[in-house]
Amino acid sequence: MSALEPDELTRLLTEAVEPVRPSPDAYRQIRAGIERRRRLRLPVFTLGGMVMAALIALAVVAIRPSPNNQTVEPAAPPVMPTNYTAPTQAGTVPSSGGSGRPGTGGGHGTGQGGGTAATPTPPRTRTTTPPVTPPASTATPSSPASASTGVGSPQLPTPVAKPAGVNDIDGDGRPDTVAADGTTLQVQFSRDSQVARVPLSGLTTPLNSAVVDIDADGFGELLVQTGVANGLKSYALLRYTSLDTLTAPALPSGLTLTAGVRNDTAYGFRCGPDHTLQINVGTSTDGSQFSVATTTLAFTPDGLTAQGTASSTARIPSDSSPFTVACGTLS
Amino acid sequence: MPARSDAARSDVARDADAALTALYSEHYRSLVRLAALLLDDIGLCEEVVQDAYIRVHGAWGRLQDRDKALAYLRQTVVNLARSTLRRRLVALKHAPKPMPDAASAEEGAYSLVERAAVIQALRELPRRQREAVVLRYYADMSEADAAAVMGCSVGSVKAYTSRGLSALSGKLEGLR
């Protein structure tokens, strides 16, 4: 078998297709095909554009965050019904030691009789974050209120006045009732007659407390004496952080809410200007001439934050000792 | 801007029309004959070539090198021939056995081609060998050009051509 030469194959192929004649109207058919394609182009492009627009709209709808995730600030003070109960509080009511105390609000009678009388059930108690308060010295919160109460982000009602009125912790313009039951502080809020219970070891009786709106946010801060030892009085500071919840704000390390003089060390604090809290710590060598370090603390959502420190000297006894408490009516 | 782009589009359309006419008058017949060597149904050859012209005309504005319009046309013809064969193969697998057809007028026109032994021998080759042989020895393309049209390497074209030529030698022994 001899190999087929390329030239010969070319000749054979050319001869084989030689009889093929294109149809005379081929050009017309091509032109018709082009016209058909051109006519189809507009609807196809239009359809494609519509499909693309629909896909983009779907993508936008899918990507856009749901309105449920958006935080909406209430425009007006929410009206809290008197029988309002947070979902997580329902289980705590029966187990609370104080839930069986009917007429707590009336017992402490501070003008809340109308509010509590209208409530057919006894005021429910609300367990509040117990501030970790060493008996003699400091008040340090253990965790944010939201973590312990199970309520999501703290939801504060809108205060009716800034700064808050007298003894007004919950910002409704009416005074709230503060009382002590053993080593548990009980605060009944006039807003909804709920009772917050804060265990404070070393709570002194009779109760020594004051409500001062230090940061002028419309919710009064509660200062309460938690103990006295060796001439030093220790205090706890409680803030209204969410509905019916009191929380002790975190103090910078090394600082305590203490007042008094012991040997060569002295402490005191006062509600300073510009909505701050000033803590004085004095040291002395002779027991009378003290060098005083004054730390100014500002209220932030995370607690109390040091803004600055100033130094001075003080001699005691004197008329204006820096080692006392000067916040509202507290002494 | 829209006015300018409209003008540019109409220029491209005019170019495409002029090029289509020139390509038709120069190469239509040879492309139909090329398709006739690739397809086993000669009736589809013109359809395939006309479709190739329509597609190249539609893509005229996107052609990077308009001097290679003939190469684009050939490539489109080869690709469409492949697609047609593939489609017909699938249709044949699933279609019921057809009744014997009466001879049509076109068949008379192509009877010479149908009877040609070289065409029969070519149809018995595997598709890629057939394409390589046709592009190299009928379309007179270089190995590189044939490789570009077939979408394979030059070495593959050489191998396909060699095997195809060898197979055809055996089948066409009697003709020479």
Side-chain angles (χ1 to χ4, degrees):
Chain A
M1 183 182 75
S2 63
L4 187 62
E5 291 297 323
D7 290 344
E8 192 180 356
L9 179 59
T10 302
R11 182 185 60 77
L12 283 173
L13 291 174
T14 307
E15 285 176 358
V17 293
E18 185 64 31
V20 175
R21 296 277 183 270
S23 62
D25 61 344
Y27 186 73
R28 189 185 54 76
Q29 285 176 352
I30 292 173
R31 298 296 320 180
I34 290 170
E35 284 305 314
R36 199 165 49 243
R37 196 185 173 99
R38 197 172 283 159
R39 277 199 305 274
L40 279 175
R41 186 177 293 172
L42 187 62
V44 166
F45 282 4
T46 307
L47 188 64
M50 289 169 66
V51 169
M52 282 298 292
L55 287 175
I56 290 170
L58 274 175
V60 167
V61 168
I63 293 171
R64 191 179 60 181
S66 161
N68 294 336
N69 298 336
Q70 295 174 353
T71 304
V72 179
E73 293 294 333
V79 178
M80 301 306 298
T82 55
N83 58 352
Y84 169 78
T85 304
T88 54
Q89 298 302 317
T92 65
V93 172
S95 62
S96 175
S99 61
R101 293 166 55 85
T104 305
H108 293 283
T110 53
Q112 299 304 307
T116 49
T119 308
T121 56
R124 291 178 177 173
T125 58
R126 180 174 293 271
T127 304
T128 308
T129 309
V132 179
T133 311
S137 58
T138 182
T140 307
S142 56
S143 61
S146 58
S148 58
T149 59
V151 181
S153 59
Q155 294 177 345
L156 275 172
T158 306
V160 298
K162 291 184 180 181
V166 177
N167 287 338
D168 183 14
I169 298 174
D170 55 5
D172 64 345
R174 293 176 294 175
D176 303 304
T177 308
V178 181
D181 178 17
T183 57
T184 301
L185 186 72
Q186 294 183 346
V187 179
Q188 184 179 21
F189 298 109
S190 56
R191 180 181 291 278
D192 50 9
S193 298
Q194 297 285 323
V195 175
R197 300 175 147 269
V198 183
L200 292 172
S201 58
L203 194 64
T204 58
T205 49
L207 188 65
N208 183 19
S209 67
V211 176
V212 187
D213 190 4
I214 304 172
D215 55 355
D217 63 347
F219 301 100
E221 278 70 49
L222 175 59
L223 277 162
V224 57
Q225 184 180 339
T226 56
V228 54
N230 300 325
L232 293 180
K233 294 177 181 175
S234 57
Y235 296 85
L237 175 65
L238 298 171
R239 287 184 81 188
Y240 188 75
T241 51
S242 64
L243 186 69
D244 302 338
T245 304
L246 292 173
T247 308
L251 282 167
S253 61
L255 294 178
T256 59
L257 290 176
T258 313
V261 179
R262 183 173 64 183
N263 301 330
D264 294 337
T265 313
Y267 304 92
F269 62 92
R270 60 188 290 266
C271 297
D274 298 330
H275 320 307
T276 57
L277 184 68
Q278 292 180 335
I279 295 180
N280 301 318
V281 179
T283 54
S284 169
T285 54
D286 57 3
S288 62
Q289 181 76 23
F290 283 83
S291 59
V292 184
T294 303
T295 306
T296 303
L297 304 172
F299 284 82
T300 63
D302 298 328
L304 287 162
T305 307
Q307 282 192 323
T309 306
S311 298
S312 59
T313 58
R315 175 175 292 278
I316 58 170
S318 67
D319 291 338
S320 58
S321 169
F323 307 122
T324 57
V325 180
C327 271
T329 58
L330 199 67
S331 58
Chain B
M1 283 302 133
R4 187 178 294 179
S5 63
D6 286 347
R9 268 200 292 272
S10 65
D11 284 349
V12 169
R14 269 196 300 274
D15 276 357
D17 287 345
L20 176 79
T21 308
L23 286 170
Y24 175 82
S25 55
E26 286 177 42
H27 302 293
Y28 183 79
R29 179 182 301 212
S30 67
L31 286 171
V32 171
R33 288 173 175 170
L34 174 72
L37 292 173
L38 295 175
L39 285 170
D40 59 352
D41 184 348
I42 296 176
L44 288 173
C45 296
E46 282 209 73
E47 245 177 70
V48 163
V49 175
Q50 287 169 9
D51 198 7
Y53 270 91
I54 292 168
R55 289 184 186 211
V56 170
H57 180 274
W60 190 255
R62 300 193 299 274
L63 291 189
Q64 293 174 348
D65 188 353
R66 292 178 184 177
D67 294 337
K68 292 186 178 174
L70 179 60
Y72 289 129
L73 266 176
R74 278 179 177 158
Q75 186 159 5
T76 311
V77 168
V78 171
N79 289 341
L80 288 173
R82 281 183 192 174
S83 303
T84 304
L85 284 178
R86 210 174 289 131
R87 220 169 25 244
R88 292 192 66 234
L89 204 64
V90 173
L92 279 175
K93 273 184 184 171
H94 300 287
K97 216 165 190 175
M99 295 293 288
D101 293 331
S104 66
E106 287 85 358
E107 282 187 10
Y110 292 123
S111 58
L112 285 174
V113 179
E114 293 282 351
R115 284 195 298 269
V118 68
I119 295 289
Q120 294 295 340
L122 204 57
R123 285 180 184 175
E124 289 169 12
L125 291 182
R127 179 176 59 80
R128 286 189 166 272
Q129 288 183 23
R130 183 166 66 239
E131 286 176 4
V133 166
V134 169
L135 292 176
R136 289 280 289 121
Y137 299 121
Y138 175 74
D140 199 21
M141 294 172 73
S142 68
E143 286 168 342
D145 289 346
V149 168
M150 291 175 65
C152 61
S153 67
V154 173
S156 300
V157 170
K158 283 181 184 172
Y160 290 138
T161 309
S162 168
R163 285 180 208 151
L165 200 58
S166 167
L168 283 176
S169 297
K171 294 176 193 297
L172 300 176
E173 186 69 21
L175 283 181
R176 291 177 290 144

